[in-house]
Amino acid sequence: PSPADEEDGDCVYELAGVLVHTGTSDSGHYYSFIRERRAAQPGAHPWLHFNDTLVEPFDSSEIGKNCFGGVEPVVSWDVDTNKPVQRTQVKPHSAYMLFYEKVSAHAQSRE
């Protein structure tokens, strides 16, 4: 791409990784989701979950659910009614940093 393309804002970027923090502002843990840069098959760019010594495949359609905070439904036992009750709780994890890779100046986005 030429410097003029970059100045015009015509470059295409794809999400390449997400650094996630779980915990509180006082303590917590970091882990990441990273897209493979060199695919085993043309057009396939699987995602991986890196958490300390654990490295496992990750379904990229779950990025929002696993990275972007908010609330989630949970079922807990209610001792007063003596049965399970559904409640919502704040998710303890949220994306801390996003990483993008420049694809090209005018390319169509990959899946």
Side-chain angles (χ1 to χ4, degrees):
S2 70
D5 288 336
E6 292 179 13
E7 289 174 13
D8 292 340
D10 291 338
C11 296
V12 175
Y13 295 85
E14 289 185 348
L15 185 64
V18 182
L19 177 62
V20 178
H21 178 261
T22 185
T24 66
S25 59
D26 295 333
S27 66
H29 180 70
Y30 291 92
Y31 53 94
S32 60
F33 298 98
I34 301 172
R35 183 174 51 87
E36 284 268 358
R37 297 181 98 169
R38 292 185 181 93
Q41 299 174 359
H45 294 278
W47 283 75
L48 296 171
H49 171 213
F50 291 83
N51 192 345
D52 293 333
T53 60
L54 173 70
V55 178
E56 61 185 354
F58 177 72
D59 180 356
S60 63
S61 69
E62 298 287 316
I63 285 177
K65 177 181 173 186
N66 288 282
C67 299
F68 301 125
V71 295
E72 63 186 347
V74 293
V75 176
S76 60
W77 189 259
D78 186 319
V79 293
D80 294 331
T81 61
N82 205 26
K83 62 181 180 180
V85 176
Q86 183 171 331
R87 298 187 172 120
T88 58
Q89 72 178 21
V90 175
K91 292 180 183 180
H93 53 267
S94 191
Y96 180 74
M97 188 179 302
L98 303 177
F99 296 88
Y100 289 89
E101 180 177 20
K102 185 176 181 180
V103 178
S104 73
H106 301 283
Q108 294 295 324
S109 180
R110 291 183 260 167
E111 287 187 46

